[in-house]
């Protein structure tokens, strides 16, 4: 995924020998619809040669639009200057295209990418981690990074205390559609029957439509009728939305998932095994920082490793730089999500996003 490939690119460029272990049969088969890369992440991606390809392939923007459910424009605020100087505050991009850039960056950095593999055991000494793979192979490493998602198998193997994601009581839909003419920035529709309906341009031709709403714990939906279910959720919205909803005829181009959150208490490491990305901190997408936080994790670890200190010192400083920042994103993302779905009186979504983004514009 995003965090692991980014870390591989950063560390490989610094001369470290990196193995990426992927349980799937191919790295290119990751699914997903689209995402926003905020400027704080773009600054980091520039170091591994990925920022400019994202700008060229995606839709960069420095502001966004807030609309009522009827499509009326309420405000067009600027994003805080997350990418400045030199980079846009936000880039909308296809998930598959972005993933392909990260795979190339990891390969260009001489990382070894090994698919159809998983880890069955980790054994540590003060100097090494011995990794046993499901294939029967054994490897010895100076550092193991668990970037294996919100239900991290690495986390379960290494840390004695169990930690499960918390259901947010929300679900999110994402769907490919043709980009409406003239729409080059994210459009947020607030105040309608759902928590949030948005449009994110991801290329000159395409955008993705997304919808966040209340969802029951354990809710499952039939993928064969995703298009019908999402079109029903979009009823009651006007402006650009009806024409986009009419395009939703192929359920294979639509994704749905219940939203969850997780924040592992500090530290995220034990010995020479470190958790990063969603394995350590996972937030709802309301600040568009899910990818960004994992990318920052990789950049900070790489920076600390260049100092060639003992691994305990490196990881201690990593936690000082990462924990409070990631905690802020998890907490504020959840606050915004609940306020949108519950239509909390007096809660200013735009102001809250702006204040959080201003914090994220500070150095990581």
């Amino acid at each position: 995924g995003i965090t692991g490939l980014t870390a591989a690119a950063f560390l490989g460029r610094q001369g470290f020998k990196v193995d990426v272990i992927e349980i799937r049969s191919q790295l290119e088969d990751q699914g997903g619809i689209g995402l926003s890369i905020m400027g704080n992440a773009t600054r980091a991606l520039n170091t591994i040669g990925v920022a400019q390809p994202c700008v060229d392939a995606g839709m960069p923007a420095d502001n966004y639009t807030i609309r009522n459910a009827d499509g009326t424009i309420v405000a067009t605020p600027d994003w805080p200057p997350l990418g400045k100087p030199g980079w846009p505050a936000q880039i909308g991009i296809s998930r598959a295209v972005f993933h392909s850039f990260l795979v190339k960056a990891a390969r260009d950095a001489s990382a070894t990418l090994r698919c159809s593999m998983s880890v069955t055991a980790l054994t540590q000494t003060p100097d090494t981690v011995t990794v046993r793979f499901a294939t029967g192979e054994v490897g010895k490493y100076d550092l193991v990074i668990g970037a294996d998602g919100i239900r991290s198998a690495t986390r379960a193997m290494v840390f004695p205390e169990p930690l499960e994601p918390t259901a947010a009581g929300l679900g999110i839909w994402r769907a490919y559609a043709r980009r409406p003419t003239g729409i080059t920035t994210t459009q947020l529709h607030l105040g309608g029957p759902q928590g949030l309906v948005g449009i994110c341009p991801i290329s000159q031709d395409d955008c993705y439509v997304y919808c966040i709403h209340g969802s029951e714990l354990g809710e499952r939906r039939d993928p064969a009728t995703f298009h019908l279910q999402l079109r029903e959720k979009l009823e009651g919205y006007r402006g650009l939305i009806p024409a986009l909803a009419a395009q939703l005829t192929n359920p294979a181009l639509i994704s749905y998932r219940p939203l969850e959150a997780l924040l592992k208490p500090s530290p995220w490491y034990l010995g020479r095994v470190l958790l990063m990305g969603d394995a350590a901190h996972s937030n709802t997408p309301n600040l568009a920082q899910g990818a960004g936080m994992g990318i920052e994790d990789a950049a900070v670890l790489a920076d600390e490793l260049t100092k060639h200190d003992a691994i305990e010192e490196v990881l201690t400083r990593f936690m000082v730089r990462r924990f409070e920042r990631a905690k802020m994103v998890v907490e504020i993302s959840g606050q915004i999500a609940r306020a949108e779905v519950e239509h909390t009186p007096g809660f200013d979504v735009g102001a809250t996003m702006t204040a959080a983004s201003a914090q994220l514009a500070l150095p990581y």
Side-chain angles (χ1 to χ4, degrees):
I2 290 171
T3 303
L5 289 170
T6 304
F10 267 104
L11 299 179
R13 278 172 167 252
Q14 291 182 354
F16 293 100
K17 185 176 182 296
V18 181
D19 287 347
V20 177
I21 306 303
E22 171 57 49
I23 195 169
R24 300 188 190 208
S25 61
Q26 57 179 336
L27 283 166
E28 287 74 13
D29 182 21
Q30 293 291 317
I33 303 295
L35 74 160
S36 289
I37 304 171
M38 305 308 288
N40 54 305
T42 306
R43 292 201 312 269
L45 292 172
N46 184 47
T47 306
I48 58 172
V50 174
Q52 191 60 51
C54 288
V55 170
D56 295 342
M59 290 292 286
D62 287 318
N63 60 13
Y64 61 103
T65 300
I66 298 175
R67 296 175 180 259
N68 287 329
D70 64 7
T72 302
I73 295 176
V74 176
T76 55
D78 289 337
W79 294 109
L82 293 172
K84 304 302 180 187
W87 300 104
Q90 178 204 31
I91 305 170
I93 194 168
S94 156
R95 177 68 178 79
V97 169
F98 181 51
H99 187 81
S100 72
F101 293 157
L102 295 181
V103 171
K104 182 179 185 301
R107 286 182 170 140
D108 288 349
S110 300
T112 301
L113 310 181
R114 308 182 69 188
C115 293
S116 300
M117 291 190 70
S118 60
V119 174
T120 59
L122 298 168
T123 305
Q124 298 200 58
T125 69
D127 299 321
T128 62
V129 186
T130 300
V131 180
R132 183 170 296 278
F133 300 104
T135 59
E137 298 173 66
V138 174
K140 291 185 180 294
Y141 297 90
D142 298 306
L143 178 67
V144 170
I145 298 169
D148 49 348
I150 194 169
R151 286 182 168 75
S152 168
T154 307
R155 188 177 68 233
M157 277 191 281
V158 173
F159 291 91
E161 70 282 3
L163 182 64
E164 294 296 326
T166 300
L170 309 169
I172 184 168
W173 298 88
R174 293 183 177 93
Y176 270 118
R178 301 293 287 179
R179 181 175 66 88
T181 301
I183 298 301
T184 59
T185 63
T186 292
Q187 312 286 305
L188 304 179
H189 297 71
L190 303 174
Q194 312 305 333
L196 170 67
V197 169
I199 305 167
C200 181
I202 58 175
S203 73
Q204 292 297 324
D205 297 322
D206 299 321
C207 69
Y208 71 92
V209 183
Y210 55 101
C211 174
I212 298 177
H213 57 82
S215 174
E216 297 297 324
L217 183 65
E219 181 179 74
R220 295 292 180 267
R221 292 176 174 269
D222 180 5
T225 60
F226 271 1
H227 59 308
L228 300 177
Q229 296 176 62
L230 179 52
R231 281 159 61 177
E232 181 181 0
K233 291 293 183 185
L234 296 177
E235 291 178 1
Y237 290 85
R238 297 292 177 259
L240 303 165
I241 301 302
L244 291 170
Q247 296 184 38
L248 307 181
T249 59
N250 184 353
L253 299 179
I254 301 171
S255 71
Y256 172 79
R257 66 181 178 91
L259 291 176
E260 298 175 301
L262 178 141
L263 179 65
K264 189 193 178 305
S266 181
W268 301 337
Y269 67 90
L270 186 63
R272 290 173 173 263
V273 180
L274 170 68
L275 302 178
M276 295 201 316
D278 284 351
H281 50 84
S282 184
N283 49 272
T284 62
N286 302 77
L287 286 175
Q289 285 290 342
M293 288 296 99
I295 291 166
E296 284 189 4
D297 283 352
V300 170
L301 177 64
D303 180 55
E304 290 297 341
L305 284 170
T306 62
K307 299 167 186 175
H308 302 291
D309 292 326
I311 195 69
E312 176 69 25
E313 295 176 34
V314 167
L315 298 182
T316 297
R317 291 197 302 266
F318 172 87
M319 288 308 309
V320 169
R321 292 174 65 178
R322 295 306 300 147
F323 183 75
E324 290 300 329
R325 190 171 171 102
K327 179 173 180 283
M328 182 268 288
V329 169
V330 171
E331 292 178 348
I332 293 182
S333 296
Q335 291 170 11
I336 294 172
R338 294 308 320 173
E340 288 174 346
V341 169
E342 296 171 1
H343 303 297
T344 304
F347 189 93
D348 190 329
V349 171
T352 304
M353 291 174 62
T354 298
S357 296
Q359 290 297 309
L360 294 170
L362 300 175
Y364 48 77

